[in-house]
Amino acid sequence: MAGRISDEDIAIVRERSPIADVVGEHIQLRNAGGGNLKGLCPFHDEKSPSFNVTPARGYYYCFGCAEGGDVITFVRKIENLTFTEAVERLAQRGGIQLRYEQGGYVPGREQGERTRLIEAHRAAAEFYAERLATPDAAPGRRFLSERGFERVDAERFGVGHAPAEWEALSRHLMGRGFTAQELIRGGLAREGRRGPIDRFRGRLVWPIRDITGDVIGFGARKLLESDDGPKYLNTPESPIYHKSSVLYGVDLAKREIAKRSQAVIVEGYTDVMACHLAGVPTAVATCGTSFGEEHIKVLRRLLLDQAEFRGEVIFTFDGDSAGQKAALRAFQDEQKFVTQTFVAVQPDGLDPCDLRVKQGDAAVRDLVASREPLFAFAIRSVLSRYDLNTNEGRLGALDAVAPVVAAIKDPGLRKTYVVDLDRWLGFMDEGFVIRRIQQVIGKDRGPGQARAPRQEAVDPAVRLEVEVLKLAVQRPALLGPEFDALGAETFTLPEHVGLYAIIMAVGGTAMGGSGGREWVDRLLEQAGSASATGEQGADLRSMTTRFAVEALRADTAVEERYASAMLAKLHETAVGRALTQVKSRLQRLNPVEEQQEYKRLFGELVALEQQHRVLRERAAGA
């Protein structure tokens, strides 16, 4: 085997992989002040952004789920890779040639599974694209032409053709050094009697890319009457392809989605192509599955979907009954978005691709522009099932639509729809409609569901310790010897005592200089050593990463004064606790029988009170 990647190359990979750029390929980041960036965490579901990135120190930390680390850690977790695979992934991204100890550089031999499968899919996409120009691909070119796509359009989206042969792709890839097992494992081939056989044959093929632009699978459309397979055939689940979280076109649309705060959900590959070519570059589509929760998580991170209702997600569906059902399924997921959701339905049943062919690019843009709020569409769809000319029908419709109205998160928007619903049903009594909705919803709501538990306030003393330790991790030069002289007893929480011990073990803040990545790396390395000795090293590593990323509660211009004040307040608090303990001990002593001890403690009390007064004045004046 090739051996491990050299430490020098790992350091180069970290240096040449800006964490903001790598994280920004997966989520939208916005300025959070203090040199930090913020976005929605990709590792847990959240409504408001708590995922922070600090480019200057090269670390990230989520204050919601406590995930944190450097750029390699992020790639490992987001793509479910080993450490070696993550380094190889970043090296490939940065054009870095890695060296392996005990064997040197051997192209291809030492790469992880994901890297190998990605390279196999890249080679397969090139193979298919080249075959689109062959005589056998004439039906595929005709299919594209009939739908308004030219050769340059096919090249832009990487559309290709799978030859109607059993082993054309397999032979090609195995000739490039890929194994039969890799082709089968990646879903490019199936096991045949005499070796692997191609999964896609005689079909038009679309490469499916992940959010970073790597080909991870294919969607293939039947062209030949002799093909007894399904109309569309997709790559099966594999180590790199998970259809529940894949969105076709997301690699092309992600920047426009973030820029416009808009995502348009269409139903097929040609619809994505048509929208992008028509001037709707925010279009994406699911791949062989219905739109679901994992797709929502991807879009929310790109939209930075939070509480301001500033973005929009637009579903496009056919105007027939199947399209309406699809739209109502989408409504069930609406509550998982914070942003506004809409439906764009073409009354004549044309999908965006057909609409572009028959009426031109402007018609596609008009379809998206004519969107209707998803709530309105859902309400109207429910009402259409009832006879609103009878009292029984109107009351039944009101009861049926009550959960839809109650699900509207924004109180003002919910009130507006109550007014609309009252008008649509013809009751002309908003109060009656509100009461009826409350009655219907009240039957389904269990006790305690209406109110979320209130968070307890953070102990001010603990918050003070946190701020000083953040300064020690981020700006050690501002604390220096005074911090180092505090002593572990200054801190109250065991994990804070542990971090103080780690700082002291690497020489204290006096050795931290101006901070930065090297200082944080030393602390994390020491925390790892603590883990090896049986202490809570993993928790200390997580906390160190958090403190390296969490913004200080002061502007850069006043950091020096802020550090002095925080240090004085922390010292003052510790001295205050010591004062309380001395007073308590004095009260328990008999000044006559234990005169010597009493005098000693009284002298200690006087000294502590003087020190406490000086520290309080310094903290107030800093």
Side-chain angles (χ1 to χ4, degrees), residues 154-173:
E155 291 175 352
R156 173 178 172 181
F157 290 90
V159 184
H161 180 260
E165 303 174 31
W166 289 100
E167 304 162 355
L169 177 67
S170 297
R171 284 196 310 269
H172 174 76
L173 293 181

Side-chain angles (χ1 to χ4, degrees), residues 157 183 271 282 331 449:
F157 290 90
L183 304 188
D271 292 329
T282 57
F331 168 75
Q449 288 186 342

Side-chain angles (χ1 to χ4, degrees), residues 1-6 9 82-89 91-92 96-117 119 177-179 182:
M1 293 185 65
R4 65 188 295 274
I5 304 170
S6 71
D9 282 359
T82 65
F83 179 85
T84 298
E85 288 174 332
V87 174
E88 290 170 345
R89 179 85 168 80
Q92 184 182 53
I96 302 166
Q97 181 171 297
L98 296 175
R99 292 165 295 173
Y100 293 75
E101 296 176 353
Q102 303 173 9
Y105 177 75
V106 184
R109 194 176 88 191
E110 69 292 313
Q111 295 172 336
E113 180 184 56
R114 179 182 173 85
T115 302
R116 292 286 291 167
L117 295 183
E119 290 191 354
F178 296 99
T179 66
E182 285 173 333

Side-chain angles (χ1 to χ4, degrees), residues 432-488:
F432 168 74
V433 172
I434 292 173
R435 289 192 299 274
R436 187 73 179 191
I437 290 174
Q438 290 173 338
Q439 289 173 4
V440 172
I441 298 305
K443 295 176 184 177
D444 300 325
R445 177 179 292 156
Q449 288 186 342
R451 188 169 298 175
R454 181 183 160 194
Q455 279 191 316
E456 294 184 13
V458 177
D459 184 341
V462 173
R463 167 53 63 187
L464 182 59
E465 292 178 22
V466 167
E467 283 300 297
V468 173
L469 287 170
K470 279 161 53 179
L471 283 161
V473 173
Q474 296 182 29
R475 303 285 191 274
L478 298 180
L479 300 181
E482 186 176 352
F483 173 89
D484 299 342
L486 286 174

